[in-house]
Each structure stands twice: as C-alpha cells, then as structure tokens.
Amino acid sequence: MNRIDPKLAATLRHPADLVERGLAKATDLADLERVAARYAVAVTSDIAGLIDTENPDDPIARQFIPSALELVSTPGENADPIGDDSHSPVAGIVHRYPDRVLFKLVHVCAVYCRFCFRREMVGPGKESALSETAYRNALDYIRGHKEIWEVILTGGDPLMLSPRRLAEIMADLAAIDHVKIIRIHTRVPVAAPARIDADMIEALRVGGATTWIAIHANHPRELSDAARTACARLAEAGIPLVSQTVLLRGVNDDAAVLEALMRAFVENRIKPYYLHHGDLAPGTAHLRTSIAEGQELMRRLRGRVSGLCQPEYVLDIPGGHGKAPIGPPYLSQANSQGCDPYQGETRYRVVDYCGDVHHYPPKP
Ligand code: SF4
C-alpha cells in the first residue's frame, strides 16, 4: 500500500554505517548492534549533515544515534506508554476523545527517534502499513461515528506514503461529511525535506476538509535551510502549521535553546503547539527530564518570548487517559488575613513573568 521514496535510499540504517560515517564510535559497535536488533535505526542524509561529529554531546546526534543506554529499562516504562491499545476499536484507529481519532496508517518513518513513544511499534520488521481490508474497516468506523470532527494521521510518519496514495486517503476522509479537519503529524519536513515537493503539496490539499500539519522538531538546528523551504512550501499552499516538540535531556532542556526553537517556528509560520514531557517508553530514561525541570523551563520561556512563541507543556497520562497541561501554575487562592475589605470576594495570588507575586483584586 505504501511506496517509500527512493531518495531515502541514502539513509543510514545500520550501526556499521554510522561508524563508517564517523557518527558513532567503533568501540560501541557491538552495543549498538544489540540496540538496533530491538529498535529501528534510520538517519537520513539531511539529519546526518546536521550532526557535529566533533561534539560528543551533539543534540542532533542524541536524538538519532543509538545508545547502549536504550537497553536499560526503568520502572514504569511501558511498550505502550500512552495507552493507545486500550482505545483502539479497530486496527489503525485510536478513539480516545469523542470528537477526534488517531489514524495510524504506516509504521515506518524517515528517521527513528531514540525517544519515540511508539518505538516498539515502528520500523522495518513491524507491519509496514494497514492492509486494504483494515484500511476500509477503519474508514467505516470513522464514517459510522458522526461525532468525529478531526482525523489525525500519524504512525509512523504519514508523509512516508507516496503522494498518490496519500491523495487517495485524503479524498476518502474528506468525503465523509462530518470530518472537517485532517491533521498530519510528521517529521518529514525536517528529516527529509525534499519529499515536500509539488506532488506532495497537491496530495495534501483536498476539498471538503481542512488540512493542518504538525511538524515535529526538537532543536533549532533541525530547522535547516532545506527544512525552512519545505515549511514555506506548505505554508504558501495555505496549509496551517503547528509544532510539536519533545522535552529531552541534553537536547533542549535549556531555556535559550527552547527560546531559539520557538522563535524559529514562529519565523517560519509554525505556531508552537505542544511541548511534550518525555513519555515512559522503554530505554529512554537517559533522555527524560523531571516535570519540575520542565515547569521551570516553561516559567523561564514565558519571561523571554511573546505569547505567540509559547507551546503548551503537556503530559500524556500513562494508561491512555489523554493529555493534561502541566505547565507551572501562575494563579492560586490567597488566604484571607485579618479584616476582609473584599466582603467575601475571593482573592488570588498571581505570579508575573519575573516571578514576583501580586494579589488580585489588588489592595485598596
Ligand atoms: S518520527 Fe515520530 S513516530 Fe517516527 S520514530 Fe520519531 S517520534 Fe517515533
């Protein structure tokens, strides 16, 4: 069902190739082979070109070059960390919230992120795409549930499909009256920007529904010139763009890096949408921060950039209970002291962007 673009043939898929290109150490090869036997590896030439091989802590390498630490599982980690399976009524569909579904079309990606929350399901060797029967059953499910307003194409990466196949899928979905929004989550504009060509743009535009694209990037260097050109093509085709970023230790757990990333998104017509707290995917503890660190970063970001550049910091609650905003609180109820000049009106403590506390209503 899906055709993979031959342009991706230059992708590095084996630890030995990474060593040969100077992206991994020869002394680590045996460990990396063990990681690769369990979790998919792919580094496109675009991503390989962004890696600073002189820097042992390079934030791009940290996201894509496997590490022996991935073989260490910690308590609480789970093969299905956000509980997709418990909300899957038919193959390919996750129906967690009333008005929207995830539609998982493919299980392959242009690159494989070392922190991926679906790392047990994506990659070669896993089922590569829905069978035609499963696809038709999933469409029937969407058709039969009139409350579904938005279909979120995810995977894997839906932009790994050929433009021809993607156009068919977009048309099938847009033909369903109650489906008004088709949102596509993708890393392709960053990881393989040449795929965003005229055919792909044509496939993404469909009558009868509005296409939105959520672009996954975690470090400002990922928005290379080629990635910016790909995003511009999408924006100029009238497709609204939002971002999603995963908070990652050693990649973007730094206010200046997050600031640069959010500014770059906005400069490229991408509205910052989600900053995800790292999910409890197996072997990813070395890449996760604490929630307290995430909240402090969000506090600092608010003091540095405009509201246009603010993502929402969210946690996917393990067990399939959905997303919850977990940013720092700015408002709390103040305890009344002494006589009450407000005649029972609730007073609040509110924190400004500098961290200073004020009261609302203010003192007379
Ligand atoms: S592109 Fe998305 S689905 Fe694919 S490996 Fe990265 S995080 Fe996982």
Side-chain angles (χ1 to χ4, degrees):
M1 180 167 146
N2 60 318
R3 292 198 203 136
I4 307 302
D5 192 321
K7 285 178 218 153
L8 291 168
T11 296
L12 306 169
R13 298 182 185 276
H14 304 286
D17 299 336
L18 299 175
V19 169
E20 193 185 316
R21 281 285 304 272
L23 297 168
K25 289 193 275 186
T27 48
D28 291 340
L29 185 56
D31 280 342
L32 301 194
E33 301 274 16
R34 286 167 59 220
V35 175
R38 179 160 180 192
Y39 301 117
V41 173
V43 182
T44 58
S45 54
D46 293 276
I47 290 293
L50 297 177
I51 293 174
D52 176 1
T53 53
E54 302 295 310
N55 179 2
D57 301 318
D58 183 75
I60 309 297
R62 219 169 143 70
Q63 295 181 64
F64 301 105
I65 304 300
S67 157
L69 292 171
E70 293 172 52
L71 297 169
V72 180
S73 284
T74 53
E77 290 182 342
N78 186 312
D80 180 21
I82 70 167
D84 280 352
D85 291 349
S86 54
H87 294 279
S88 183
V90 296
I93 294 287
V94 177
H95 197 174
R96 200 185 326 265
Y97 307 97
D99 74 332
R100 54 204 182 273
V101 289
L102 300 183
F103 195 173
K104 297 197 271 188
L105 292 166
V106 289
H107 297 79
V108 293
C109 302
V111 283
Y112 292 103
C113 312
R114 308 324 303 165
F115 50 85
C116 177
F117 66 125
R118 296 204 178 108
R119 60 190 336 222
E120 302 279 357
M121 295 85 152
V122 296
K126 314 288 192 298
E127 194 185 348
S128 67
L130 284 182
S131 69
E132 193 58 30
T133 304
Y135 173 71
R136 293 282 150 209
N137 288 343
L139 273 186
D140 285 345
Y141 181 87
I142 296 168
R143 233 178 252 120
H145 286 76
K146 298 201 178 324
E147 71 276 20
I148 298 172
W149 173 79
E150 180 179 20
V151 176
I152 301 164
L153 303 185
T154 180
D157 197 315
L159 298 195
M160 292 297 283
L161 292 164
S162 69
R164 181 196 57 75
R165 181 60 188 146
L166 194 58
E168 290 168 0
I169 293 166
M170 298 293 286
D172 284 344
L173 290 169
I176 301 173
D177 274 353
H178 53 269
V179 172
K180 302 297 184 196
I181 304 294
I182 305 172
R183 188 191 339 159
I184 298 175
H185 282 230
T186 181
R187 212 145 167 39
V188 160
V190 162
R195 285 186 65 77
I196 310 298
D197 57 12
D199 290 344
M200 187 66 85
I201 298 284
E202 196 53 38
L204 292 168
R205 293 204 298 195
V206 65
T210 301
T211 305
W212 283 68
I213 294 207
I215 293 175
H216 174 176
N218 303 320
H219 190 277
R221 270 176 32 217
E222 287 169 59
L223 290 164
S224 63
D225 288 348
R228 287 169 191 245
T229 300
C231 293
R233 281 195 194 117
L234 293 165
E236 276 151 29
I239 298 171
L241 307 175
V242 294
S243 73
Q244 55 173 356
T245 293
V246 182
L247 181 57
L248 296 165
R249 185 173 297 291
V251 174
N252 56 20
D253 57 338
D254 176 283
V257 171
L258 277 182
E259 175 185 344
L261 177 62
M262 299 304 151
R263 285 192 195 277
F265 280 144
V266 172
E267 287 163 14
N268 286 281
R269 292 176 274 185
I270 306 165
K271 170 71 186 90
Y273 182 32
Y274 279 146
L275 177 66
H276 296 274
H277 187 71
D279 293 310
L280 293 166
T284 61
H286 59 294
L287 293 168
R288 283 195 300 274
T289 66
S290 69
I291 286 179
E293 289 169 301
Q295 290 184 322
E296 181 54 28
L297 284 164
M298 286 301 294
R299 236 180 241 115
R300 294 178 65 192
L301 197 61
R302 183 153 292 280
R304 298 168 77 112
V305 289
S306 80
L308 202 53
C309 299
Q310 301 289 334
E312 185 159 45
Y313 180 37
V314 292
L315 172 72
D316 266 291
I317 305 168
H321 304 290
K323 284 186 179 56
I326 57 167
Y330 292 95
L331 190 71
S332 59
Q333 215 159 310
N335 295 325
S336 61
Q337 286 174 345
C339 62
D340 180 3
Y342 300 98
Q343 300 178 328
E345 187 179 357
T346 303
R347 263 190 114 206
Y348 296 96
R349 294 172 82 250
V350 58
V351 184
D352 68 22
Y353 75 97
C354 300
D356 295 329
V357 176
H358 309 271
H359 284 88
Y360 183 86
K363 286 189 172 158

